Amino acid sequence: MPVLVRVAAALLAAGALGATLWRGAEEPGIALAFGVLIAVGELARWGSGGQREPAPLGSAGALAYALLGECGEQPTHHGVLQVVAVVVAAGLVGAVPHVAVGRGPSPDHLARRVLAVGFAALCFQPLYNSGQLAALAGHGPGYAVVIVTLLALTALCDAVLAAAMAHARLGWPFGPLLREELRGMSGIGSAVCATGAVMALGVAVAGLWALPVFSLPLLLTQLAFRRYAAVRTTYRQTIASLARATEIAGYTPAGHARRVADLSRAVGRDLGLSGPDLGVLECAALMHDIGQLSLVDPVPAGATAALPEAEQRRIALLGGAVVRQTGVAADVAVVVERQADPYRDQPLTARIVRVANAYDEMAREQGPQGPLTALERLRLATGRDYQPEVVEALARVLARGRGRPGERRGAGGPSGGPATGPAEGPYGSPSEGPVEGLYEGPVEGSYKSPYKGPSEGPATGSSEAVRKGPAGERG
């Protein structure tokens, strides 16, 4: 589907540019003013598309031009193809400096913008140019209602398209992805839509002078958000450094916390978690072993499963107490504290961390056949130590080959998830991400086990005998 979307956007852009060059532009001064605004918005972008809306000013200007019917109380006559042509040309001009330094916009983001702007223009321009809109809504409050309604429909279509593309590319459930996209609209998305509507209505009355007036608040908001995002990135890095304390002190193997966090995040995605729940899950997975710092002598390979239950519970409670002092959400501490509880008494996030942690420990112990053996051992213990649904979600993640644990990718979350929008993170602040984590890089690509030996297909197929054995009886 992502390929189809890109092809559709490319065909629309090429057709619009060709038609506009052939026929010439209507009201070239207005087209140039909006083109400059969109180009400036692209120049002011703050990333390569990992955030939900890295160029809010450019998007607001594009939507305003798509929904523009008058300029200074004089009707405009530009059509759908000219709107798309101006948006594409201005976006390309503004993206040139970013491409030159390797931070150009992502193809998916560009394709979605072209299709979203084309949809908005297709809904508005024919109605306005034919006079049907004036007959139906007039030029009073009804006209503003139509503008806002079309913006809402455009945002909804863009959210559905983004969720569908993520579902096709990553295999995650569509419903949670769509909810996450819609939730993100309460942040920068709503500001973009509101600014686009105000620009279109303001230019209709005051002319092109309204553009800089209404652009300034959004530009200042963008700059403030960038400063806030920089502070939050520093805080995430602090949490990630704290999570590595057990590795530095020799209590756990190198990379264990990050592998467990990445695997937990992928499993959580498969089970339909999104937004704040994924943030809590990832943070708790990173810090799940922090209580081991209270041990006088490290446990071999950091595997606390061999310790008495009372000792495991003591370590978990101490870890939760440490986490509470870091200022993260209380839910993170709860997950860490409940690691030693029976799985039926744990929240889902704690069950996921429990399974991911056990898999990483078992796979490391067993040598070349570790991943396969670890998955079989987990299945044998379902119903007693691990929730069967979580273990099967882990098997699906491994079989699909989703993201390499502990490997940074691109810009976004630690485990590679697409970072698509402000959602409330575990630190009580918006996280930019489909969902954001403590490491930079969206969670995309294929999951490849860091251990030697098969971790994919065979694990799923060879488990048939396991399911027919004791595990099935206990489950």
Side-chain angles (χ1 to χ4, degrees), residues 26-38 65 82 86 90 208 211:
E26 298 282 352
E27 294 101 14
I30 299 176
L32 179 61
F34 276 93
V36 170
L37 175 63
I38 296 169
Y65 191 51
Q82 180 170 321
V86 169
L208 295 176
L211 289 180

Side-chain angles (χ1 to χ4, degrees), residues 59-67 116-117 119-121 123-124 144-159 185 189-201:
S59 295
L63 290 174
Y65 191 51
L67 301 176
V117 170
F119 174 82
C123 291
F124 178 83
V145 170
V146 170
I147 295 291
V148 173
T149 302
L150 290 179
L151 280 172
L153 288 175
T154 301
L156 177 61
C157 291
D158 182 64
M185 290 182 183
S190 61
V192 168
C193 290
T195 304
V198 171
M199 280 183 181
L201 296 173

Side-chain angles (χ1 to χ4, degrees), residues 390-474:
V390 176
V391 175
E392 291 308 311
L394 171 65
R396 290 192 296 270
V397 167
L398 296 174
R400 281 197 304 262
R402 189 68 63 210
R404 181 190 298 270
E407 178 177 309
R408 303 188 187 188
R409 298 177 184 272
S415 51
T420 55
E424 192 66 18
Y427 321 117
S429 60
S431 54
E432 291 134 352
V435 192
E436 328 40 50
L438 303 177
Y439 300 107
E440 297 300 324
V443 196
E444 302 183 20
S446 58
Y447 186 100
K448 297 180 181 178
S449 173
Y451 315 106
K452 296 181 180 179
S455 64
E456 300 169 6
T460 305
S462 64
S463 64
E464 291 299 324
V466 178
R467 282 195 290 269
K468 295 176 182 176
E473 298 170 5
R474 277 197 298 269

Side-chain angles (χ1 to χ4, degrees), residues 257-433:
R258 186 181 298 177
R259 288 193 299 271
V260 173
D262 291 349
L263 203 52
S264 297
R265 187 183 182 91
V267 172
R269 279 283 193 186
D270 187 89
L271 291 173
L273 298 184
S274 62
D277 292 334
L278 277 179
V280 169
L281 174 62
E282 185 173 27
C283 191
L286 281 168
M287 306 182 73
H288 72 280
D289 277 329
I290 199 71
Q292 291 198 39
L293 294 174
S294 65
L295 298 175
V296 177
D297 297 316
V299 178
T304 57
L307 297 176
E309 290 187 6
E311 183 68 5
Q312 293 183 39
R313 188 165 287 107
R314 185 185 73 84
I315 293 174
L317 291 175
L318 287 173
V322 172
V323 172
R324 291 183 188 278
Q325 300 302 314
T326 63
V328 301
D331 292 343
V332 176
V334 170
V335 175
V336 175
E337 290 171 343
R338 303 287 291 279
Q339 284 301 294
D341 293 354
Y343 88 82
R344 290 180 177 84
D345 299 332
Q346 294 176 324
L348 177 59
T349 46
R351 298 177 187 183
I352 294 173
V353 175
R354 184 190 189 109
V355 169
N357 177 57
Y359 173 81
D360 186 74
E361 291 179 353
M362 294 177 185
R364 191 175 58 247
E365 293 173 356
Q366 301 298 326
Q369 295 299 318
L372 173 60
T373 304
L375 190 57
E376 291 177 343
R377 289 175 62 185
L378 288 175
R379 279 178 164 142
L380 285 170
T382 56
R384 183 186 69 240
D385 297 325
Y386 309 107
Q387 183 177 6
E389 292 81 2
V390 176
V391 175
E392 291 308 311
L394 171 65
R396 290 192 296 270
V397 167
L398 296 174
R400 281 197 304 262
R402 189 68 63 210
R404 181 190 298 270
E407 178 177 309
R408 303 188 187 188
R409 298 177 184 272
S415 51
T420 55
E424 192 66 18
Y427 321 117
S429 60
S431 54
E432 291 134 352

